[in-house]
């Protein structure tokens, strides 16, 4: 498991523009880092840097005692702003394919689907689901295949009050079990966390 997440002197550019410079912070197990700031401030870019999809111009991302490649391959979930689901595939097949790739077993997949109210929807094609249902389907991967660090980009955006409460409970349970969360948000999340405003870091 990842005991802590450390961002050490991170600088990331988009083209000629510096999104953030010399960003340094440490997040211990059981805590959340909530990224705020206007559109274009670099929230998504920071999540993708932690996940390893963007190479920083300076600095490093450290995952406790784990090597970055090992941590990213076995202990990190990224739930992006887009759900990353194939519209023509049945919801159950899509969940099973992605969750098994991440190490889930059939029991974990079934439990995640049931918890998020997806069981009656699994025979439908993904494209026939509402935006909120697709978000819950994407989120089910995190519950089916437990990993320590959750990177979340606007996780609650398309969800109604009921499912925000259910997923808020899941986030709190993840932290209580020693997990870590880094979330980019515009709306407040129902979890305790340290706020980092990227709007003033460039």
């Amino acid at each position: 498991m990842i005991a802590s997440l450390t961002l050490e002197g991170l600088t990331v550019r988009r083209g000629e523009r510096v999104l953030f410079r010399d960003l340094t912070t440490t997040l211990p197990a059981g805590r959340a880092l909530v990224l705020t700031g206007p559109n274009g401030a670099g929230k998504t870019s920071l999540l993708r840097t932690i996940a390893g999809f963007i190479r920083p111009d300076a600095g490093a991302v450290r995952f406790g005692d784990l090597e970055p490649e090992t941590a990213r391959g076995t202990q990190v979930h990224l739930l992006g702003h887009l759900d990353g689901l194939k519209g023509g595939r049945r919801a159950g097949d899509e969940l099973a394919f992605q969750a098994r790739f991440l190490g889930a077993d059939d029991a974990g997949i079934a439990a995640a689907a049931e918890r998020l109210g997806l069981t009656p929807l699994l025979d439908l094609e993904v494209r026939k689901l509402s935006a909120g249902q697709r978000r819950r389907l994407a989120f089910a991967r995190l519950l089916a295949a437990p990993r320590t660090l959750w990177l979340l980009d606007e996780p609650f955006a398309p969800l109604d009050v009921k499912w925000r409460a259910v997923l808020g409970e899941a986030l709190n349970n993840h932290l209580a079990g020693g997990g870590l969360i880094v979330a980019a948000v515009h709306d407040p999340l129902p979890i305790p966390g340290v706020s980092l405003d990227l709007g003033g870091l460039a």
Side-chain angles (χ1 to χ4, degrees):
M1 292 182 61
I2 298 172
S4 63
L5 171 69
T6 298
L7 311 180
E8 189 175 282
L10 282 186
T11 297
V12 171
R13 299 174 181 268
R14 180 185 296 151
E16 296 300 315
R17 179 171 169 247
V18 177
L19 295 177
F20 45 85
R21 186 192 309 275
D22 198 27
L23 173 57
T24 298
T25 190
T26 295
L27 185 69
R31 300 294 300 276
L33 180 66
V34 180
L35 309 177
T36 62
N39 290 335
K43 300 186 296 295
T44 297
S45 294
L46 179 53
L47 292 177
R48 289 176 61 81
T49 301
I50 296 171
F53 295 116
I54 293 176
R55 183 184 297 273
D57 294 272
V61 180
R62 307 197 187 282
F63 302 90
D65 294 331
L66 294 181
E67 291 295 324
E69 183 176 352
T70 299
R72 288 169 172 144
T74 65
Q75 292 298 316
V76 176
H77 275 307
L78 172 63
L79 180 59
H81 184 66
L82 299 176
D83 294 323
L85 303 168
K86 290 190 175 182
R89 184 178 276 170
R90 290 192 321 120
D93 293 338
E94 182 69 352
L95 174 58
F97 174 79
Q98 295 201 17
R100 286 175 183 148
F101 178 80
L102 296 170
D105 57 23
D106 289 346
I109 294 169
E114 183 66 26
R115 185 175 183 185
L116 296 181
L118 295 168
T119 304
L121 307 174
L122 295 180
D123 285 333
L124 297 177
E125 291 182 342
V126 171
R127 64 186 171 207
K128 295 181 180 178
L129 303 181
S130 71
Q133 290 168 341
R134 290 195 301 271
R135 190 49 138 184
R136 282 153 48 202
L137 183 64
F139 211 106
R141 296 172 297 192
L142 280 66
L143 302 185
R147 294 187 170 196
T148 309
L149 174 59
W150 291 2
L151 306 175
L152 311 176
D153 198 350
E154 295 294 341
F156 289 1
L159 298 175
D160 60 25
V161 172
K162 172 185 175 181
W163 292 111
R164 287 184 178 217
V166 170
L167 291 177
E169 181 182 10
L171 267 61
N172 274 299
N173 289 342
H174 182 63
L175 295 177
L180 301 94
I181 295 172
V182 181
V185 303
H186 286 294
D187 301 321
L189 289 180
I191 58 174
V194 178
S195 182
L196 176 62
D197 183 3
L198 294 184
L201 293 182

